[in-house]
Amino acid sequence: MTTKGKEPNRTKDLEKKLKLQGKLAWDRLDEKERKEVFRFAEGYKKFLDRAKTEREAVQEILNAVKGSGYRDLSRGGGGNKFYSINREKSIALALLGKAPLAEGLRIIVSHVDSPRVDLKQNPLYEESDLALFRTHYYGGIKKYQWVAIPLSLHGLVVKGDGSLLPIQVGESPDDPVLVINDLLPHLSGKTQDQKKLAEGIEGEKLTALAGSLPYSDGEAKERIKLRLMELLHEKYRLVEEDFTSAELELVPALKAKDVGLDRSLIGAYGQDDRASAYTSLQAVLSLKNPPRPVLALFADKEEIGSEGNTGAQSLFIEEVVRGMIERSAESPSETLVKRVLARSKAISADVESALDPNYPEVHDKQNAGRIGYGVCLEKFTGHRGKAGASDARAEYVGEIRRIFNAHNVAWQMTEIGKVDEGGGGTVAKYLAVYGMDIIDCGVPVLSMHSPFEVTSKVDIYEGYKAYLAFLSSP
Ligand code: MN
Ligand code: MN
């Protein structure tokens, strides 16, 4: 017997008990925790400003852990916290835990490279009395987003005598910047405006304006280029051949900013995937005495398929595990390295696409990442029929779910977009081959791969909580 007055309560109880509850992460926090969310975001913004390239990110991570007692894994000596750097572009942090290595590690892999515009190896030319750099973009960019915005130049030049010259121009307030020009609307109507968006700017037209001053001798050829070379020689002792052995990257000359009048969001370049790199770094730094040994890998080259000797497909991870075994005074053998990896549990920490109110049609709303709902778990990535997916098994998803719930982490189960819409992939499948369990987990991002990606401060904080909960679990 029920009365009319009691019926709504029963419905509410039943809904609460049975239905999947989507709840804004903000609503789960008290006043003190909300303050912590905003405080955490300040450190994250500083990291984004200092670490705009993979090399700078490695340096920032190294600086952060050196002050916390981490030692070089390749050197002798005791301790239980180590770092290992792979060619200045990738870094691993390793912690020995209470459990023996042979029982497997807790692993988090993020990446520190981001889409950008690289200078070509023979970049400098003069045209119409302007000096310009030819470029070759890196990763999946929408080329039209990279024109008519201030760009800074970051990277390294290896000179003829082998000396190294780090370059960073465009980040200080009084630094000059570079820019890729676009056609004015007055003259683009019949040509550029008629093209498909993806073809509106051609790769070869992504040339960056570098100067316009002429060399003093009016008889000289290519006077603008010559004057620029003269300046580069005066300032850096550079000659044109030095560009051939350089890695110079153009990235947005923009600082990380609060977005929204309520300051709840963060806009910045490179949040894919420094959102995961920073939060997993902070999680590692928060660990005291983890039950299982921990490995945090910050990989390079994810944006071009995790290739090369600094990408997640390289065997660097095996080298790090070998080092951990040596440090734990067990005898390192190939069998043990493989066994440790096979028994490990991992998170591929990478950002997820967020539902954009302007483009809901590319998502299945019920399974889309939502800004403000916490960290995203992706059981699988891939294209169409899950092609190229790692696909975590249900048992492992269940374990991660239990860990997150036990630690009060705000999380959402998501997939990148509609089934036939497109897709994407991460490093998960390259680590899954070792036999470890691995699942994708990262914060939702708006305008992913653009010069100014947007995340929510609360999602960033929940990402940190999620990674810390994972690494702290037995
Ligand atoms: Mn990514
Ligand atoms: Mn990406």
Side-chain angles (χ1 to χ4, degrees):
M1 289 283 282
T2 54
T3 67
K4 274 185 180 170
K6 280 184 181 168
E7 195 61 31
N9 281 341
R10 184 169 179 271
T11 310
K12 263 187 190 162
D13 289 348
L14 206 60
E15 281 180 342
K16 201 175 168 193
K17 192 170 145 193
L18 300 183
K19 287 176 93 177
L20 176 60
Q21 304 290 327
K23 199 173 176 186
L24 273 170
W26 296 108
D27 289 333
R28 304 161 59 104
L29 304 176
D30 61 26
E31 210 38 54
K32 198 176 142 215
E33 286 169 309
R34 281 190 180 209
K35 273 200 180 130
E36 188 54 23
V37 166
F38 283 92
R39 191 198 62 79
F40 191 84
E42 292 308 303
Y44 175 49
K45 285 189 290 178
K46 284 200 185 93
F47 180 81
L48 290 169
D49 288 344
R50 289 186 191 139
K52 286 195 173 181
T53 68
E54 62 281 22
R55 287 175 188 273
E56 290 169 1
V58 166
Q59 202 54 51
E60 279 303 307
I61 292 164
L62 180 64
N63 291 345
V65 300
K66 265 193 168 169
S68 302
Y70 281 71
R71 297 175 185 192
D72 189 341
L73 186 64
S74 63
R75 300 237 177 105
N80 63 349
K81 299 191 285 190
F82 305 96
Y83 66 85
S84 180
I85 293 177
N86 183 6
R87 294 170 173 82
E88 317 301 323
K89 295 175 169 203
S90 173
I91 184 169
L93 304 178
L95 277 88
L96 300 177
K98 288 178 201 148
L101 283 166
E103 289 176 21
L105 316 169
R106 290 236 173 235
I107 300 175
I108 293 190
V109 187
S110 59
H111 67 92
V112 287
D113 62 316
S114 296
R116 60 181 190 249
V117 178
D118 289 342
L119 295 202
K120 287 192 182 188
Q121 298 319 121
N122 183 8
L124 188 58
Y125 73 106
E126 177 178 331
E127 186 63 59
S128 310
D129 297 305
L130 297 171
L132 300 117
F133 284 127
R134 297 189 195 281
T135 70
H136 196 138
Y137 63 91
Y138 171 98
I141 64 165
K142 294 172 98 170
K143 285 169 272 193
Y144 70 86
Q145 295 177 336
W146 293 74
V147 297
I149 59 165
L151 298 168
S152 55
L153 185 66
H154 295 234
L156 182 78
V157 181
V158 180
K159 295 204 226 174
D161 63 359
S163 60
L164 305 182
L165 172 71
I167 301 265
Q168 197 197 85
V169 180
E171 294 298 333
S172 296
D174 50 350
D175 271 3
V177 295
L178 281 75
V179 66
I180 298 167
N181 292 309
D182 196 5
L183 189 56
L184 66 169
H186 316 64
L187 296 178
S188 65
K190 286 188 181 164
T191 53
Q192 191 187 45
D193 293 0
Q194 302 307 316
K195 294 182 183 176
K196 284 186 193 164
L197 192 58
E199 294 156 8
I201 309 278
E202 293 156 39
E204 291 294 342
K205 288 196 171 157
L206 289 177
T207 62
L209 185 56
S212 67
L213 277 181
Y215 178 66
S216 52
D217 178 359
E219 299 297 303
K221 280 188 203 161
E222 298 188 318
R223 295 167 66 211
I224 314 293
K225 174 174 169 176
L226 190 58
R227 176 60 189 142
L228 200 71
M229 285 308 311
E230 190 181 35
L231 277 170
L232 290 172
H233 193 258
E234 281 164 16
K235 183 152 190 211
Y236 303 113
R237 315 302 296 169
L238 267 190
V239 297
E240 196 171 12
E241 191 181 297
D242 291 334
F243 285 117
T244 60
S245 52
E247 288 179 338
L248 294 168
E249 309 175 6
L250 287 170
V251 297
L254 308 165
K255 301 291 182 198
K257 299 287 281 182
D258 287 347
V259 169
L261 300 179
D262 58 5
R263 295 180 174 269
S264 58
L265 306 148
I266 295 169
Y269 164 70
Q271 298 201 70
D272 174 7
D273 184 35
R274 285 170 210 134
S276 311
Y278 182 76
T279 47
S280 58
L281 168 66
Q282 293 308 314
V284 168
L285 290 174
S286 298
L287 285 174
K288 290 286 174 287
N289 195 4
R292 266 178 190 253
V294 161
L295 197 168
L297 178 62
F298 304 83
D300 180 31
K301 297 281 184 281
E302 194 276 343
E303 296 295 356
I304 57 167
S306 298
E307 314 283 349
N309 55 12
T310 54
Q313 290 196 65
S314 81
L315 303 182
F316 176 55
I317 193 166
E318 292 184 24
E319 190 56 34
V320 174
V321 170
R322 205 169 289 124
M324 291 175 81
I325 294 168
E326 283 166 8
R327 290 290 156 270
S328 69
E330 292 178 57
S331 49
S333 68
E334 282 312 298
T335 320
L336 186 53
V337 169
K338 292 275 155 63
R339 183 173 299 156
V340 170
L341 286 166
R343 290 180 178 172
S344 292
K345 298 173 183 214
I347 279 180
S348 160
D350 207 344
V351 293
E352 167 68 306
S353 67
L355 179 74
D356 184 328
N358 281 320
Y359 307 98
E361 64 276 11
V362 299
H363 292 285
D364 157 21
K365 224 170 164 183
Q366 186 171 324
N367 286 282
R370 308 277 290 268
I371 289 288
Y373 282 79
V375 74
C376 300
L377 269 179
E378 285 173 277
K379 185 178 181 296
F380 53 85
T381 57
H383 307 255
R384 299 178 195 280
K386 304 193 181 181
S390 167
D391 203 1
R393 64 190 173 122
E395 294 90 330
Y396 189 53
V397 182
E399 181 182 335
I400 299 294
R401 179 184 153 202
R402 285 194 300 278
I403 291 174
F404 286 0
N405 284 342
H407 289 81
N408 202 24
V409 173
W411 60 276
Q412 43 185 333
M413 182 56 80
T414 66
E415 58 178 295
I416 185 166
K418 274 187 181 165
V419 178
D420 288 332
E421 201 64 44
T426 67
V427 302
K429 62 178 172 181
Y430 304 120
L431 295 171
V433 294
Y434 286 109
M436 68 181 73
D437 275 310
I438 187 161
I439 186 167
D440 281 288
C441 176
V443 302
V445 175
L446 290 164
S447 297
M448 196 193 288
H449 284 204
S450 80
F452 199 68
E453 302 172 316
V454 174
T455 57
S456 161
K457 289 182 180 177
V458 80
D459 296 334
I460 294 289
Y461 187 67
E462 294 296 336
Y464 158 72
K465 271 169 63 184
Y467 298 149
L468 182 57
F470 171 76
L471 295 178
S472 313
S473 293

